[in-house]
Amino acid sequence: MLNVALPKGRLGMKVYDMLAAIGYECPEILEDNRKLIFENTENGVRYFLVKPSDVAIYVEKGAADIGVVGKDILLEQEPDLYELLDLGFGKCRMCVAAPDDYREDPDRPVKVATKFVHIARHYYESKNREIEIIKLSGSIEIAPLVGLSDVIVDIVETGTTLKENNLRVWEEIVPISARLIANKASSKFKAEEIYKIASKLKEGRS
Ligand code: PRP
């Protein structure tokens, strides 16, 4: 049985379609229900639909053999697993953003609101810039608008959220896209199957 962790939502369904096309169908997953585990014993596949930020944990711990996750999660969590392939979709950018009229005060630490604490620390350390982190769980864009932070470190996809909140990209940290990941032990014991999947997905990459 091949266990696959997919992020719940549009990205996960896109990956499911790609896997179904190469022999890992499990049609029940397309039904509108609240189930989270789907199994097809005939072709030996089991899908878990998990929160996007939890995919890497399932794969690292071996509950899933493979999974699909955003590079942002890999950079933030640094899980112990193999990153097999850049799938070329789910593209966005990790950025520092700030209000249109922001001016940095070099005499004090930058107040940074983010979900991505590790990425933010790492980025500012590389610039030798002191920061104060304010960890939030979502709607990060509000923080600089209400004086909670100077800037944010967050994902920018279309830029609409920034624009509609009078923020702009200040610095780009790293481009992000979806990655195929594999558990280290599974990569040995199910090597043939996993690498076949990786090469098939590579062919169908956008
Ligand atoms: C992400 C990100 C931005 C938004 C960017 O939020 O945190 O808020 O998408 O997309 P855009 O550039 O296309 O506007 P998400 O929807 O993941 O929710 P969140 O508030 O929980 O971070």
Side-chain angles (χ1 to χ4, degrees), residues 72 92-93 115-116 137-141 152-165:
D72 52 325
C92 50
R93 302 174 287 157
K115 287 200 268 205
F116 301 97
S137 324
S139 301
I140 318 294
E141 290 84 359
I152 62 172
V153 165
D154 201 11
I155 282 171
V156 178
E157 193 181 349
T158 61
T160 309
T161 312
L162 292 184
K163 208 168 158 201
E164 293 194 353
N165 290 289

